[in-house]
Amino acid sequence: MFVFSGQSYYFTGKYVAAFLKDQQMKKVSYLLSAIILLSASANAQRNLGVSTSDWSVMNSLVINPANIADCREKIALELFSVNAGLDNNLGSVGSVGDLVNALNNGTTGSIFNYSSKQTFSLLAPYTEVRGPGVMYSINYRHSLALTTGVKIFNQFNNFDQSLFRTLTDPDYTYEGANTGDIDFTSQKFNYTVQSWAHLGLSYGAVIMAQKEHTLKAGVTLRYLRGIGYVSMKGNNLDAHYRNNNDSVYVTNSDLEFASNLLSTRSAFTEGFTGGNVFSNLFGDNSGKGVGGDIGLVYEYMPADQQSSHRGKNDSRYKLKVSASVTDIGAITYKSTANSTAYLTGNGYITPAGLDTVHSFDEFRAYAKHQGFTADTTSKKTKVHLPTALVLGADYNIKSHWYVNATIVANLANRQNFGNSYYGQVSVTPRYDVKLFSVALPISYSMLTQHMKMGLGLRLTGFYIGSDDMLALVARNQYSFNFYMGGYVPLYKHRAGGRKTDIDSTDMSPEPDMEHGGRKDTTDDCPDMYEASIIISHNAGTAIAVSGNNSDKADMPYRKTEIIKNDACSRE
């Protein structure tokens, strides 16, 4: 069985033949192509046009939970965020006009320019919706966040292109074979569609704070609620279809199918329809699990540049390096709400034989009679999340200009039931201040082995953009991405610096601590502003330390100024 976008297609002879002969199925193919183009996204899109900003905490949280520690915002209220797009290496997309023509004229060839790859991977659709959520900065060291969201993945991995095109393009003829005859081999392939909701609690903390160095850590724990999934994985499948005898000879088959939305009987005899999805959407068939993210962030600010980075819009680091592992975990579907099926061996499958199948028990008996080994059961199944490694470096070039580099790598086992991300390397220059930011992400996709470019715009907490928008201006692109969202930021009083930065704009005189708190009227030592005096007897220098000496917890952040004045020496 082969399930995609709400329709069932079958690699058995009965349904391949029916697909090729029934012209009504063409409409399904056109709709399928439209869905792929309009509602898909992939390749680990991370809203790079805004999530790399130092002023967009709800987006940077997605990349690394440590980013909420000592962030710019005191409180951030997330309203919504939507991410959608397209990425694949099956073929390039012609243009938006080609899609319109395909729907009007009933031709799919103008939508995709198919690649020459024997196997392909495609993540379509991927959709993520976030919100509502909230982030609260307890103090400069500790922050908490509560987030909600829903994700939908529909993914083919390492799938045979000939099989896919046979089942989705009625006009396709397998090259090198007689008309209507099909031969294909698929190995180590996986198809999984799943949807889940999550409720996350994030914690970020400053775990080391020295004069030039800051280290932050963060973790997100999520409660996962699996809405539904359909998955098929195979170690091997060799199939040979001959149109003249309307049969399929399958050799070396080793397939496993599982779903909480489809019983094994309906999967083989009725297909995947909207009705049986929504009837199980919020029922007892849903799965449960625990997942999360974990990350570290290191920031470096040279001592000789710290005094020039005190303004409310100025950078608080020269270099920031981050590492995180995201989407750790799996969703477990209990045996009473889950069905699985196994098919191994060699044999012929014919339409006449399948006409006698009206239940899965009958299918199992038929498959055994034809030479296969088939078995069904209801057992607990784990469906894994698309775990990924995210590495980043952010460099402050000058003033408000930055450049960011981000690497995303897959950590998921693609032979499990579940989904995975495809790797990419991105470089994102940006202009970033409190009120707005503009960024230009440029990425190389490991999946398509092509470049892509986007644009991200942020106005306070509201943003819109794309990590990949070349399809709007150029033909034959492999991907497209779009996102938008908004949150309400309430910034900290001193938005530009650490809690212990000296506020150079406040020149109110403070007590001269060398005189026990009395006003300095007896010597030539200057009164210090928001500082205490520590006298070095042998050097004759006064060291101004920001903050209150009694606040030992803040000492690692304090900056010092050496004030040369011999009159300040104590004998």
Side-chain angles (χ1 to χ4, degrees):
M1 191 213 67
F2 180 87
V3 183
F4 185 60
S5 294
Q7 298 292 331
S8 292
Y9 306 108
Y10 300 82
F11 52 72
T12 60
K14 172 183 178 180
Y15 293 101
V16 171
F19 185 90
L20 294 173
K21 295 177 180 179
D22 186 358
Q23 296 301 309
Q24 293 298 317
M25 292 303 293
K26 289 185 178 181
K27 297 179 180 179
V28 176
S29 297
Y30 309 143
L31 178 61
L32 171 63
S33 299
I35 291 173
I36 292 174
L37 290 173
L38 292 178
S39 61
S41 175
N43 219 45
Q45 304 295 351
R46 304 278 174 162
N47 297 8
L48 294 178
V50 292
S51 61
T52 56
S53 171
D54 196 32
W55 298 89
S56 186
V57 66
M58 300 309 292
N59 284 294
S60 62
L61 167 62
V62 177
I63 291 182
N64 192 323
N67 282 322
I68 66 174
D70 193 28
C71 62
R72 301 276 194 171
E73 297 86 349
K74 180 65 177 180
I75 300 175
L77 303 174
E78 184 165 48
L79 304 178
F80 72 97
S81 175
V82 179
N83 185 351
L86 165 69
D87 206 353
N88 80 105
N89 66 354
L90 174 64
S92 61
V93 181
S95 67
V96 176
D98 291 339
L99 171 62
V100 175
N101 291 335
L103 294 175
N104 291 336
N105 302 329
T107 59
T108 60
S110 61
I111 298 178
F112 279 110
N113 297 314
Y114 288 96
S115 70
S116 58
K117 296 179 180 294
Q118 180 179 351
T119 61
F120 74 93
S121 296
L122 181 148
L123 183 54
Y126 164 91
T127 302
E128 180 180 10
V129 179
R130 301 198 318 262
V134 61
M135 189 286 306
Y136 176 66
S137 181
I138 301 171
N139 52 42
Y140 88 95
R141 283 187 179 273
H142 307 282
S143 297
L144 294 172
L146 186 68
T147 55
T148 61
V150 175
K151 289 186 178 183
I152 302 173
F153 273 73
N154 193 21
Q155 183 176 25
F156 294 87
N157 185 72
N158 201 37
F159 221 81
D160 184 84
Q161 183 180 152
S162 298
L163 169 63
F164 179 84
R165 293 187 64 181
T166 298
L167 300 177
T168 60
D169 186 358
D171 301 320
Y172 172 69
T173 300
Y174 179 69
E175 296 180 4
N178 296 326
T179 301
D181 293 350
I182 305 169
D183 298 275
F184 62 83
T185 298
S186 282
Q187 295 178 333
K188 304 294 183 182
F189 57 90
N190 186 320
Y191 167 74
T192 298
V193 53
Q194 70 165 321
S195 176
W196 72 95
H198 61 82
L199 172 66
L201 177 64
S202 301
Y203 169 69
V206 177
I207 60 177
M208 183 193 76
Q210 298 178 353
K211 184 168 60 175
E212 295 183 339
H213 311 281
T214 303
L215 183 63
K216 302 187 288 188
V219 62
T220 296
L221 294 178
R222 296 191 182 95
Y223 171 71
L224 308 173
R225 186 77 175 187
I227 298 173
Y229 83 101
V230 178
S231 188
M232 179 182 67
K233 61 180 181 179
N235 291 320
N236 190 81
L237 178 66
D238 299 334
H240 316 276
Y241 171 73
R242 296 295 176 261
N243 192 42
N244 55 2
N245 59 13
D246 198 19
S247 66
V248 171
Y249 180 60
V250 177
T251 60
N252 304 316
S253 63
D254 185 359
L255 307 176
E256 182 178 0
F257 164 80
S259 176
N260 76 316
L261 295 177
L262 303 172
S263 69
T264 49
R265 173 184 175 182
S266 66
F268 279 87
T269 61
E270 298 173 12
F272 183 16
T273 64
N276 53 25
V277 172
F278 288 103
S279 64
N280 292 286
L281 195 58
F282 299 106
D284 294 335
N285 286 4
S286 59
K288 299 177 183 179
V290 176
D293 309 334
I294 188 170
L296 292 172
V297 171
Y298 165 77
E299 295 178 355
Y300 169 71
M301 174 62 79
D304 60 351
Q305 298 184 27
Q306 291 179 6
S307 61
S308 63
H309 289 77
R310 296 179 186 166
K312 291 185 177 181
N313 273 320
D314 287 330
S315 174
R316 300 177 300 171
Y317 57 84
K318 187 65 176 179
L319 174 67
K320 179 169 74 172
V321 179
S322 66
S324 64
V325 178
T326 62
D327 288 316
I328 304 168
I331 300 171
T332 300
Y333 294 85
K334 57 186 179 182
S335 59
T336 56
N338 197 66
S339 299
T340 60
Y342 300 89
L343 181 67
T344 59
N346 310 327
Y348 278 97
I349 299 178
T350 64
L354 287 178
D355 284 339
T356 65
V357 175
H358 303 289
S359 69
F360 197 82
D361 289 338
E362 293 179 355
F363 172 81
R364 179 173 55 188
Y366 170 75
K368 288 182 176 180
H369 182 267
Q370 297 298 107
F372 297 99
T373 299
D375 196 9
T376 62
T377 186
S378 294
K379 70 174 185 178
K380 180 171 65 176
T381 300
K382 278 190 175 182
V383 182
H384 295 264
L385 301 189
T387 307
L389 173 67
V390 183
L391 303 176
D394 201 48
Y395 182 73
N396 178 219
I397 303 172
K398 184 178 180 181
S399 186
H400 310 307
W401 294 95
Y402 300 78
V403 62
N404 177 276
T406 300
I407 298 175
V408 179
N410 172 59
L411 295 181
N413 184 347
R414 292 189 171 121
Q415 289 306 299
N416 290 331
F417 289 130
N419 297 109
S420 62
Y421 284 119
Y422 299 104
Q424 70 178 32
V425 178
S426 302
V427 176
T428 306
R430 76 178 187 279
Y431 181 82
D432 196 16
V433 295
K434 176 180 177 181
L435 180 62
F436 71 94
S437 65
V438 180
L440 188 71
I442 303 170
S443 304
Y444 178 79
S445 169
M446 304 298 183
L447 174 65
T448 65
Q449 298 181 349
H450 284 77
M451 300 297 297
K452 50 189 180 182
M453 181 181 297
L455 177 66
L457 304 173
R458 177 188 59 84
L459 182 62
T460 63
F462 293 86
Y463 53 90
I464 187 171
S466 170
D467 288 346
D468 185 6
M469 57 184 297
L470 290 180
L472 296 178
V473 295
R475 297 178 60 86
N476 299 325
Q477 298 300 309
Y478 286 82
S479 53
F480 179 74
N481 164 259
F482 172 80
Y483 59 81
M484 65 181 299
Y487 72 96
V488 179
L490 302 177
Y491 297 107
K492 295 175 181 176
H493 179 64
R494 288 193 179 97
R498 307 297 186 188
K499 174 186 175 184
T500 54
D501 283 350
I502 297 175
D503 188 351
S504 59
T505 64
D506 183 2
M507 300 302 290
S508 302
E510 297 285 341
D512 194 342
M513 300 309 293
E514 66 181 288
H515 296 285
R518 299 190 303 273
K519 187 176 181 179
D520 182 7
T521 59
T522 61
D523 62 21
D524 295 327
C525 285
D527 289 318
M528 302 309 300
Y529 306 106
E530 296 183 56
S532 301
I533 300 293
I534 301 175
I535 302 299
S536 174
H537 294 282
N538 54 2
T541 60
I543 305 175
V545 185
S546 67
N548 189 325
N549 274 337
S550 64
D551 187 0
K552 302 300 181 184
D554 288 346
M555 285 298 291
Y557 266 90
R558 293 186 182 129
K559 305 175 180 65
T560 61
E561 297 177 358
I562 307 300
I563 304 172
K564 290 288 184 181
N565 194 324
D566 291 338
C568 296
S569 301
R570 282 185 177 176
E571 301 298 334

